[in-house]
Amino acid sequence: MDMIKSIEDITSTKKRLSIEIPAGAIEDEIGRTLAHIRKSASFSGFRKGKAPMSLVEKRYGKDAEAEAIEKIIPRYYSDALKETDLRPIGNPSLEGTLDFKRNTNLGLTLTVEVSPEIKDLKYDSLTVTEVPVEIGEAEVSGMLERLRQDKASYEPSDEPAGDGDVIIMDYHIKEDDKSFVGEVYKLGTELMPKEFTDNLTGKKKGDKAEFEARFQDDYYSKELAGQKRSFSVEVKEVKKMSLPDLDDELARDLGFDDLATLSERVRERLEDSSKSTMVKMQKAEILQKLIEAHEFEAPESLVEGEVENLLAQVRGRAQASGETLDEDKLRQEYTKNAERNVKASLIIQAIGEKEGIEVTEQEMNEKVIALASSVNMSPENIVKYYVSKDGSLEGLRQSVFEDKAMEMLIGRARKVKPAKTAKPGKPGKDIEAK
């Protein structure tokens, strides 16, 4: 099909594509559109579908032209992509205006952004650092103690209040003439000004205290932030932490048969967490080496899209905290990371395609189920989320594709010991009950 007038490079990832659509093809499409309109159009003095075509064209000609152009341009654009073997990213943009005249060839000049050609992929001699996963007794004991702390309760006490104890108190603010009854405060926390801990430490049930306190500048109540107030406090109750014994009963309370089974489960989870951290480090190490080994330009639209993704994450956190963002400044700061992320994704895509990696439906289902479990949602809602966000499950499929490619690269990479023995991060995942 002789439709391509020219193709030129704007940048390594942007092409200017000029195509020409024959007048005859456009007229044929207009004719088909008018014939379709004629079947259902009503004209006085004619049975439906029997009106002269000249009459149909006189009334609906402009509509038919617009509809025909809307149909034929995407078709010829698609054919042009196949002929030029271009792989576009997103939709093309039209340069200039659409100058359409009946019975005249239609010329179009389009700007098309494409994926960069990554030549000479280098990934056969990769190395990654492998840190032995060793979980000691101290780490297991530390996690068991955390679980024990989580099961602690607070019991009323007649002893003086100390650090970490909970006080139930009534208090009055002199300057505001406001009283509060039954307020709960844990000594040592920053829920109230530090003067509360200083003046209530050592107090027992029924004791009273009067003191001045200054609220922090970032106190959640803007009315009190940075302000000094006079307090009259009465201690209504002191509660001290009561820890359960680290025994079989605690293990059963957590859903395990006995303490030995719980300890083994703790060790397994710590090992899994440590291995997961090491794999994340290895992925980052491989991606950095791949980016350094391949020079190419990241497509502008993909970088902009990645910047928006990064901004969307901080927008959500800022809205929750009431923080105001300087988005222009953040956009500049995030551009470098966005370029890195885009390049990494394109390299992994190219390697995966070269290796013939494919994503099966079973792998997609497993990914959906895993995601659903991690965020406590139903698999159906996970699917709905991705469809509403991307319009399809292609984003999820791409994620699985990249995971498989990374697993292949880590599996093939030569493992080397770290220059200095270090453990891959500090494991800290909570142990869940069965």
Side-chain angles (χ1 to χ4, degrees):
M1 190 181 293
D2 188 18
M3 75 183 92
I4 299 172
K5 295 170 65 178
S6 66
I7 180 169
E8 56 184 296
D9 293 340
I10 300 174
T11 68
S12 62
T13 59
K14 277 187 179 179
K15 312 293 179 183
R16 180 175 288 112
L17 177 64
S18 295
I19 64 176
E20 190 171 73
I21 304 175
I26 298 172
E27 292 301 317
D28 288 344
E29 188 63 46
I30 292 173
R32 282 190 292 271
T33 303
L34 286 170
H36 179 73
I37 293 173
R38 181 189 187 196
K39 291 179 182 179
S40 57
S42 297
F43 291 86
S44 179
F46 297 95
R47 286 183 296 155
K48 186 176 288 188
K50 298 299 182 180
M53 188 60 77
S54 59
L55 194 59
V56 177
E57 184 166 1
K58 184 177 181 180
R59 181 184 292 183
Y60 295 104
K62 291 299 181 183
D63 291 339
E65 289 172 12
E67 187 175 333
I69 292 298
E70 191 175 329
K71 288 180 180 177
I72 205 166
I73 288 178
R75 189 160 70 236
Y76 270 76
Y77 171 64
S78 178
D79 290 340
L81 293 180
K82 292 175 184 176
E83 191 171 327
T84 56
D85 199 29
L86 290 178
R87 300 174 61 185
I89 299 170
N91 296 319
S93 60
L94 176 69
E95 293 189 7
T97 57
L98 191 66
D99 186 17
F100 168 68
K101 295 178 182 177
R102 292 291 296 266
N103 297 301
T104 304
N105 293 348
L106 177 62
L108 301 171
T109 300
L110 304 167
T111 300
V112 184
E113 193 166 30
V114 298
S115 292
E117 184 180 359
I118 307 174
K119 298 179 179 178
D120 189 23
L121 287 167
K122 305 176 185 70
Y123 61 94
D124 290 328
S125 302
L126 291 171
T127 61
V128 291
T129 305
E130 187 166 63
V131 181
V133 176
E134 299 174 356
I135 302 300
E137 290 303 321
E139 290 165 296
V140 175
S141 297
M143 181 59 79
L144 289 172
E145 181 60 25
R146 279 182 55 189
L147 294 172
R148 182 170 172 250
Q149 294 277 344
D150 289 343
K151 286 293 181 179
S153 60
Y154 284 86
E155 304 295 337
S157 172
D158 292 328
E159 296 297 317
D163 188 45
D165 291 346
V166 170
I167 283 180
I168 312 298
M169 61 183 177
D170 297 345
Y171 67 89
H172 180 79
I173 304 178
K174 179 180 178 181
E175 289 81 358
D176 302 329
D177 194 23
K178 290 183 179 179
S179 295
F180 299 84
V181 176
E183 295 293 305
V184 179
Y185 177 64
K186 186 175 182 179
L187 296 184
T189 64
E190 297 180 357
L191 180 63
M192 298 292 281
K194 68 180 185 65
E195 288 86 352
F196 272 74
T197 293
D198 296 342
N199 287 276
L200 296 177
T201 297
K203 294 292 188 290
K204 297 181 180 181
K205 179 179 179 179
D207 287 349
K208 297 180 180 180
E210 293 190 3
F211 53 88
E212 286 188 342
R214 182 184 180 277
F215 288 89
Q216 306 95 311
D217 292 335
D218 60 351
Y219 193 66
Y220 72 91
S221 171
K222 293 181 180 179
E223 180 185 350
L224 293 173
Q227 299 295 310
K228 184 179 285 188
R229 294 290 188 270
S230 303
F231 292 88
S232 297
V233 180
E234 180 179 357
V235 177
K236 307 300 288 187
E237 193 168 38
V238 174
K239 291 187 174 184
K240 292 183 175 289
M241 180 186 288
S242 175
L243 285 170
D245 292 332
L246 189 58
D247 55 14
D248 291 344
E249 185 176 345
L250 174 63
R252 284 191 289 271
D253 192 30
L254 289 168
F256 296 86
D257 293 337
D258 49 38
L259 184 59
T261 305
L262 172 60
S263 299
E264 185 58 32
R265 179 59 172 159
V266 164
R267 184 180 297 277
E268 290 172 1
R269 289 296 297 271
L270 289 173
E271 288 175 351
D272 288 345
S273 177
S274 189
K275 288 175 184 176
S276 176
T277 302
M278 183 178 69
V279 169
K280 287 179 182 177
M281 292 169 60
Q282 289 177 335
K283 285 182 178 180
E285 188 178 353
I286 282 180
L287 288 176
Q288 185 60 36
K289 290 177 178 178
L290 289 173
I291 291 169
E292 291 172 354
H294 299 88
E295 286 290 333
F296 63 92
E297 184 180 353
E300 187 179 314
S301 66
L302 293 184
V303 173
E304 289 175 356
E306 181 62 15
V307 169
E308 283 301 317
N309 287 338
L310 295 173
L311 280 172
Q313 296 174 25
V314 296
R315 281 192 197 109
R317 293 195 292 268
Q319 288 175 357
S321 63
E323 182 184 355
T324 302
L325 297 179
D326 184 345
E327 291 206 8
D328 290 337
K329 182 179 178 181
L330 287 174
R331 195 178 297 277
Q332 292 177 358
E333 293 176 358
Y334 288 165
T335 297
K336 187 173 181 180
N337 281 341
E339 287 177 352
R340 180 189 178 281
N341 293 347
V342 167
K343 285 185 175 182
S345 182
L346 289 172
I347 295 169
I348 294 300
Q349 178 72 28
I351 292 172
E353 289 177 356
K354 183 178 178 181
E355 292 290 334
I357 290 175
E358 295 181 352
V359 177
T360 66
E361 288 307 309
Q362 181 179 344
E363 288 168 335
M364 286 287 287
N365 291 336
E366 289 172 354
K367 182 69 171 180
V368 168
I369 291 171
L371 285 172
S373 176
S374 67
V375 296
N376 197 27
M377 289 174 61
S378 69
E380 292 79 9
N381 284 335
I382 290 291
V383 170
K384 288 179 182 177
Y385 167 77
Y386 274 92
V387 170
S388 66
K389 187 180 76 164
D390 303 329
S392 69
L393 290 178
E394 195 53 39
L396 184 60
R397 188 178 297 276
Q398 180 65 20
S399 174
V400 177
F401 178 91
E402 292 184 5
D403 286 346
K404 289 185 69 175
M406 286 302 306
E407 287 172 10
M408 181 270 294
L409 289 171
I410 290 175
R412 288 188 187 180
R414 182 168 60 87
K415 311 302 186 293
V416 297
K417 293 182 179 179
K420 200 172 186 180
T421 303
K423 293 191 176 181
K426 186 177 180 182
K429 283 192 177 181
D430 291 336
I431 308 301
E432 298 172 351
K434 289 182 179 177

